[in-house]
Amino acid sequence: MATITHFEIHDVRFPTSLTGDGTDAMNTDCDYSSAYISLYTSSDLVGHGMTFTIGRGNDIVCEAIRQVASRLVGKSAEELFADMGKAWELLVADPQLRWIGPEKGVIHIATGAVDNALWDMYARARNKPLWKLVVDMSPEELVRSAAWRYISDAITKEEALAMLKKNEAGKKEREAHVREVGYPAYVTSAGWLGYSDEKVARLTKEAVQAGFNHFKMKVGASLENDLRRGKIIRSIIDDPQYLPEGSKARDPNGPELRGKNAGPTGAVLMIDANQVWDVQQAIDYVRGLEEIKPWFIEEPTAPDDILGHAAIRRALKPHGIGVATGEHAHNRMVFKQLLQAEAIDVCQIDSCRLAGVSEVLSVLFMAAKFGVPVCPHAGGVGLCEYVIHLSLIDYIAVSGSMERNVLEFVDHLHEHFLFPCSINARGRYNVPANPAEGYSIEMRKESIAEFGFPHGSYWVKAKGGKQ
């Protein structure tokens, strides 16, 4: 029986600040980075996981990962796999580490990297992609695998079990359907704040040609500039001449698009402020963008301000604009309150700000009960590889819903992974199908050697190891 013997941690940073990738009103200088861990066992079984940061501080996360991962050394892999909810509780149970959370901040995202590595190892041990491992679980095993403390006032284990059992019917059909058509995606790569108007227009046209019909742009630095950029994007996505050859406009009032402010071709525009506003400022600013018809405003204010989000949602509802948030929500308790307060129209989980798959499952259960679609955040290195698994779990096993959901896609840095995600001609994610890929997050050794910080070949050459 394999025992976890040791681990390796790498601080990997990519110089995306040089091209403006990832820029928004709050985050103006982004070097997409990975705090990366590999868990090793007494057999040839290995598990990989990571947490995403944007540069400085990645070393701090790596040290926190080291502290958390040490709790797994000497443990039997199969005993951990037998109850992944209990394994998650082990990771968060160190009282001294918990004190510097609790269950939030650096220690929590470090726990996410470790829990994800353990889930990756579990999937590899069963020779299945992560999503397939989870959807093949019985409802009882799925409930047992989640994180439950502090959320029973929103959903009980019994409620989740009943919901999952009800959705057992149709699971095989849903799996076959999504394998055939792919999972709906939206594109953010055209809308970074640091791009020129010409680059925005070019990338938007390319995205339309690639089959996308949901697009997101960053806002918040200048209302005048945001309106101009929004009109550029709208002029392209609403014009049938830019549609791929042979494709037709989608019905803006169809069930998939109703309530999304879709334009005449069925295209949808979303906007993202990355937390820059106070509550009233957010309301006033977004009202000023009503002309470009956004479906939702993402992260309009501080991510911990549940009542602020609720107030913004109430104020914008008469204007037909929704509210989305979650990529910086610390934990399941923040999501619980956002849902209970009716503060969001769209739930945006992050694969590694939450503390791994087990906590993600808890949020999926709650969102399904409250009837709020889950559209995961994926703007960063490795996140697209991660989140397609989570969206497949949600669709096939939990909510049973896909067509109103969209999963973020950014076309950056996929080449650094052994099993990169991919998009089909319909603008949808392909379903990960390689039984050896686990959670799809294994990084190429040559990428670690080049971009490991501060001693990787790129950083030694570019900055002498300084950042």
Side-chain angles (χ1 to χ4, degrees):
M1 184 177 290
T3 299
I4 296 175
T5 56
H6 65 288
F7 50 84
E8 292 181 0
I9 296 168
H10 297 280
D11 179 344
V12 185
R13 308 188 193 187
F14 302 96
T16 50
S17 60
L18 299 179
T19 53
D21 298 342
T23 49
D24 55 59
M26 181 68 79
N27 305 297
T28 57
D29 181 25
C30 307
D31 283 329
Y32 278 3
S33 302
S34 168
Y36 185 83
I37 179 171
S38 298
L39 291 172
Y40 293 90
T41 66
S42 54
S43 70
D44 59 359
L45 185 61
V46 182
H48 306 281
M50 59 152 278
T51 280
F52 167 67
T53 79
I54 61 169
R56 286 182 295 277
N58 203 51
D59 50 339
I60 300 171
V61 181
C62 287
E63 177 54 36
I65 289 172
R66 188 182 317 279
Q67 298 281 339
V68 175
S70 65
R71 295 181 64 76
L72 294 180
V73 174
K75 303 293 184 186
S76 160
E78 286 298 329
E79 287 181 9
L80 292 167
F81 300 159
D83 191 333
M84 288 296 283
K86 187 176 179 180
W88 186 87
E89 290 172 358
L90 170 70
L91 292 176
V92 299
D94 184 302
Q96 295 183 8
L97 293 179
R98 178 180 173 79
W99 184 263
I100 57 172
E103 294 189 42
K104 56 180 174 284
V106 169
I107 204 70
H108 206 58
I109 61 176
T111 303
V114 180
D115 188 66
N116 285 341
L118 188 61
W119 276 98
D120 177 69
M121 181 186 288
Y122 187 8
R124 288 164 181 262
R126 299 298 183 263
N127 207 34
K128 295 179 180 182
L130 185 278
W131 71 266
K132 181 63 172 166
L133 169 80
V134 177
V135 302
D136 284 350
M137 288 179 173
S138 68
E140 290 81 3
E141 188 178 4
L142 202 48
V143 168
R144 194 167 65 247
S145 297
W148 284 101
R149 182 181 283 180
Y150 305 134
I151 63 170
S152 61
D153 54 324
I155 188 169
T156 64
K157 292 181 181 179
E158 292 73 22
E159 287 177 306
L161 187 60
M163 181 173 64
L164 293 169
K165 285 185 173 179
K166 182 179 179 181
N167 283 341
E168 283 266 272
K171 269 177 67 172
K172 289 183 179 178
E173 292 77 10
R174 289 193 294 275
E175 180 177 331
H177 177 62
V178 74
R179 283 182 183 271
E180 178 185 355
V181 303
Y183 194 93
Y186 74 86
V187 64
T188 299
S189 299
W192 298 122
L193 209 58
Y195 288 176
S196 67
D197 290 355
E198 292 74 20
K199 188 170 184 178
V200 168
R202 174 176 60 81
L203 292 175
T204 301
K205 290 174 185 176
E206 291 174 0
V208 174
Q209 281 294 307
F212 291 99
N213 83 314
H214 285 64
F215 309 83
K216 191 170 80 179
M217 61 174 275
K218 300 293 186 173
V219 299
S222 161
L223 182 60
E224 180 183 358
N225 288 343
D226 291 343
L227 272 173
R228 187 189 70 254
R229 292 165 56 247
K231 288 177 181 178
I232 291 170
I233 294 174
R234 270 290 179 199
S235 72
I236 296 166
I237 67 177
D238 288 347
D239 191 334
Q241 72 167 308
Y242 295 111
L243 291 173
E245 187 176 349
S247 67
K248 298 179 180 179
R250 308 185 194 195
D251 180 4
N253 298 308
E256 299 170 19
L257 298 174
R258 192 178 302 121
K260 289 187 174 183
N261 273 335
T265 64
V268 177
L269 178 63
M270 301 97 84
I271 57 176
D272 183 359
N274 293 92
Q275 316 163 26
V276 295
W277 301 315
D278 283 357
V279 172
Q280 189 58 49
Q281 187 182 11
I283 294 166
D284 295 339
Y285 198 108
V286 176
R287 283 172 176 165
L289 293 173
E290 187 173 359
E291 183 180 352
I292 61 173
K293 298 190 302 182
W295 169 24
F296 62 64
I297 173 63
E298 178 179 339
E299 284 202 311
T301 193
D304 304 336
D305 189 355
I306 285 86
L307 297 183
H309 279 85
I312 294 167
R313 183 176 183 243
R314 286 193 300 271
L316 294 180
K317 198 163 190 176
H319 300 268
I321 301 170
V323 170
T325 200
E327 73 177 84
H328 282 86
H330 285 300
N331 49 43
R332 65 204 176 280
M333 292 78 79
V334 174
F335 282 105
K336 177 186 76 169
Q337 294 173 74
L338 287 166
L339 293 165
Q340 288 174 325
E342 299 182 351
I344 52 173
D345 298 275
V346 174
C347 175
Q348 294 177 304
I349 57 173
D350 183 280
S351 54
C352 48
R353 186 164 295 277
L354 289 171
V357 175
S358 288
E359 189 171 34
V360 166
L361 289 174
S362 305
V363 178
L364 295 182
F365 296 159
M366 289 189 288
K369 177 184 173 179
F370 282 82
V372 174
V374 175
C375 301
H377 166 247
V381 60
L383 301 190
C384 294
E385 279 68 30
Y386 264 153
V387 293
I388 178 56
H389 292 269
L390 305 179
S391 287
L392 291 169
I393 293 165
D394 179 54
Y395 169 54
I396 297 169
V398 182
S399 72
S401 174
M402 173 173 72
E403 291 306 331
R404 289 188 63 79
N405 301 49
V406 279
L407 173 54
E408 184 171 21
F409 176 75
V410 292
D411 193 16
H412 306 303
L413 305 172
H414 303 296
E415 68 274 14
H416 297 292
F417 295 91
L418 265 64
F419 303 99
C421 66
S422 61
I423 298 289
N424 65 26
R426 296 175 170 140
R428 290 170 173 251
Y429 275 85
N430 290 311
V431 172
N434 191 320
E437 68 184 282
Y439 206 173
S440 306
I441 208 67
E442 183 176 359
M443 196 175 286
R444 294 185 178 278
K445 287 182 171 58
E446 54 268 33
S447 295
I448 296 173
E450 183 175 2
F451 294 103
F453 187 86
H455 302 300
S457 59
Y458 172 85
W459 293 109
V460 169
K461 181 179 180 181
K463 294 189 175 184
K466 298 178 181 179
Q467 185 170 346

